[in-house]
Amino acid sequence: MTPNSKVVQALAQAESAPGEKGPVYEALLANVKELSSPATAIDDLNAIADSFFGQAIGVVSTRSVLSAFVTTLKAFENQDMWIEVGTRTLSVLSSQPSSFLDAQATLCDLVATAHEEREDFLDAAKILAEIPLDSSQRKITDEEKAEVWVRIVRNYLEVDDPTAAETYINKLKNIMHTVFHPDLNLHFRLSQARIQDAKRDFLSASQRYHEISFSPAIAEEERLHTLGMAIKCAILAPAGPMRSRALGRLYKDEWAAQLDEFGILEKMFLDRLLSQAEVDKFAEGLQPHQLATTSDGSTVLAKAVVEHNLLGASRLFSNIQFAALGSLLGLDADRAEETTARMIEQGRLVGRMDQLDGIVWFDDGEASGEKGSGKAEVVAGKEMRRWDANVESLSEEVENVTNSLQKQFPDFVAANLVV
């Protein structure tokens, strides 16, 4: 579509005007809504931009006209116009001298805002990345840099791209110690937690979510949501001493009892076995990446539940055959053996395995979480000495009962005690 005839006529007059043309273009921009129409507004603004850039009116005048142009574009409050005109103008600016960085930054922000409103988060992140932040010709504070980079991170996280988001998180780490804006610091910490969550570093993510839930800057509803995320991540983390400590901190949080996840949190903290119905209900509240399939074909949740139930079984049994353990965990004997071996090797379970007899012996000690620390030492005659100790304890109790009877009922004992 061609520009409005009134705008074309006004541009012709501006281009032929003698002397300084900057004020003429600024006056035209001030009246553009009266000269233009909704159907031709985009073409009208593009034509105006082409005109004043083509007139070579000088850097100072161009900067002033460009500022008025951006203000006029923003005043239309039309997201489609912001994107189309703004993107085209940024393309023109890319071939201009680096004297219009402020206008470029403002246009990038305007176009990115339009993309965010339309939920085109990837396009918003890309256009925000074009904002000049390191130029010597434009003084930018660390807080202003942080504001842009935090927006980029949040947009990348909206499209599940934690790798790209982490690039800007690493940039933020170098300046956040100089930024004292509470909202920016909160968004930075929350973004860190979301990236760790997306990368399946669930223990670290849980700790960060839990720390954020204590922030006085968030409302009660947000505090509960963040605490719920902390619980979900802790439950999805690999079973072991580190997760047990995380579960303990969350279980003792006075807000946790208000959440739907508290029931499964309590069972995990107390090392109780989980039923499939409880697991399925918990899975309904998880995000897609938290239900992703791992390299062995199982989901992150299924793997976490199997490892938890294995840890719970170690509290119930001193030994168990792999076939019976597999039945308890919902696995075949080979998978049960493989899972047990891995947890022992990684120091998340204390025990020893007899592969010839197909049995695992659980030790009473606590795993440290250090690799190789879960292997229980095989002490000769250990089980026999334990049996002897139990028999000795039982005999002592029987003797104590007999002595008590002799004191209370000597005649009965004399008549009935068999020596």
Side-chain angles (χ1 to χ4, degrees):
M1 184 177 292
T2 58
N4 189 290
S5 59
K6 294 180 181 180
V7 174
V8 173
Q9 183 179 358
L11 284 175
Q13 293 174 353
E15 292 169 359
S16 61
E20 181 62 46
K21 298 181 180 180
V24 180
Y25 279 107
E26 291 181 37
L28 170 58
L29 287 166
N31 296 322
V32 72
K33 285 189 176 182
E34 298 176 6
L35 299 173
S36 182
S37 66
T40 64
I42 292 176
D43 295 299
D44 293 339
L45 288 175
N46 285 335
I48 294 172
D50 290 342
S51 179
F52 70 74
F53 275 122
Q55 288 296 303
I57 59 178
V59 172
V60 176
S61 293
T62 301
R63 188 182 292 124
S64 179
V65 174
L66 189 55
S67 176
F69 178 83
V70 174
T71 301
T72 301
L73 174 61
K74 189 173 183 179
F76 272 93
E77 298 183 352
N78 185 314
Q79 294 168 12
D80 292 333
M81 183 183 296
W82 289 357
I83 292 173
E84 190 165 339
V85 176
T87 302
R88 187 176 183 277
T89 307
L90 286 171
S91 178
V92 174
L93 282 173
S94 65
S95 61
Q96 298 292 322
S98 57
S99 304
F100 313 116
L101 298 182
D102 287 332
Q104 180 183 345
T106 305
L107 276 173
C108 286
D109 180 82
L110 192 62
V111 174
T113 300
H115 281 305
E116 288 171 341
E117 291 293 329
R118 295 172 59 175
E119 299 186 358
D120 297 329
F121 299 111
L122 182 58
D123 290 333
K126 290 179 178 179
I127 203 72
L128 285 169
E130 295 180 11
I131 294 179
L133 298 176
D134 301 316
S135 174
S136 59
Q137 299 182 27
R138 185 169 179 256
K139 188 176 180 180
I140 302 296
T141 65
D142 285 344
E143 185 171 307
E144 289 171 329
K145 289 181 180 179
E147 186 176 355
V148 174
W149 288 340
V150 163
R151 282 180 69 185
I152 294 174
V153 168
R154 296 180 69 186
N155 279 305
Y156 274 125
L157 288 175
E158 288 295 330
V159 293
D160 294 325
D161 191 349
T163 303
E166 191 171 21
T167 300
Y168 290 91
I169 279 290
N170 292 334
K171 290 184 178 183
L172 284 163
K173 287 178 181 177
N174 297 324
I175 65 170
M176 289 308 295
H177 65 282
T178 66
V179 177
F180 303 103
H181 194 289
D183 287 344
L184 286 177
N185 276 281
L186 179 62
H187 286 307
F188 168 68
R189 293 162 57 201
L190 185 59
S191 295
Q192 281 186 305
R194 290 180 63 185
I195 289 173
Q196 290 169 331
D197 184 357
K199 294 176 67 177
R200 300 180 191 171
D201 184 4
F202 292 119
L203 271 178
S204 298
S206 175
Q207 182 177 351
R208 288 195 182 277
Y209 279 131
H210 197 196
E211 290 171 354
I212 293 169
S213 72
F214 293 122
S215 173
I218 61 177
E220 179 179 333
E221 183 179 352
E222 288 298 320
R223 175 174 297 183
L224 289 173
H225 173 75
T226 309
L227 179 59
M229 292 300 298
I231 293 174
K232 290 174 183 177
C233 287
I235 289 172
L236 292 170
M242 295 180 67
R243 190 192 69 164
S244 296
R245 288 192 287 271
L247 292 173
R249 289 192 296 270
L250 292 165
Y251 181 72
K252 295 173 184 176
D253 192 306
E254 60 182 8
W255 293 80
Q258 303 179 41
L259 299 171
D260 294 336
E261 297 85 2
F262 182 74
I264 193 170
L265 168 66
E266 183 176 40
K267 279 202 165 186
M268 281 202 158
F269 173 66
L270 299 175
D271 288 329
R272 296 173 183 170
L273 299 182
L274 298 173
S275 68
Q276 189 59 47
E278 291 172 315
V279 175
D280 291 341
K281 182 179 179 181
F282 174 73
E284 293 175 359
L286 297 181
Q287 299 177 18
H289 74 270
Q290 295 172 330
L291 294 170
T293 303
T294 59
S295 57
D296 61 2
S298 62
T299 65
V300 175
L301 175 60
K303 188 174 181 179
V305 170
V306 165
E307 291 183 351
H308 166 75
N309 283 342
L310 175 55
L311 203 60
S314 72
R315 303 286 192 263
L316 296 174
F317 304 98
S318 59
N319 60 77
I320 188 172
Q321 291 185 326
F322 289 125
L325 180 61
S327 177
L328 185 66
L329 301 178
L331 306 173
D332 56 38
D334 291 340
R335 289 285 299 277
E337 180 182 352
E338 179 184 342
T339 302
T340 304
R342 183 177 63 252
M343 290 186 66
I344 291 175
E345 193 273 333
Q346 293 175 351
R348 295 188 285 131
L349 178 69
V350 180
R352 57 187 173 86
M353 297 166 56
D354 186 337
Q355 291 180 302
L356 294 178
D357 292 335
I359 193 170
V360 56
W361 300 80
F362 299 115
D363 195 83
D364 294 334
E366 289 290 334
S368 67
E370 297 182 4
K371 189 174 182 179
S373 63
K375 298 177 182 178
E377 296 184 4
V378 182
V379 182
K382 177 181 177 181
E383 298 301 326
M384 185 60 71
R385 288 200 297 274
R386 181 183 294 176
W387 176 268
D388 290 344
N390 289 339
V391 172
E392 181 181 359
S393 177
L394 179 61
S395 300
E396 289 175 353
E397 290 299 325
V398 171
E399 185 175 355
N400 290 335
V401 171
T402 303
N403 291 336
S404 297
L405 286 172
Q406 285 179 329
K407 291 179 181 179
Q408 296 292 329
F409 309 103
D411 295 336
F412 173 79
V413 173
N416 294 279
L417 182 62
V418 179
V419 180

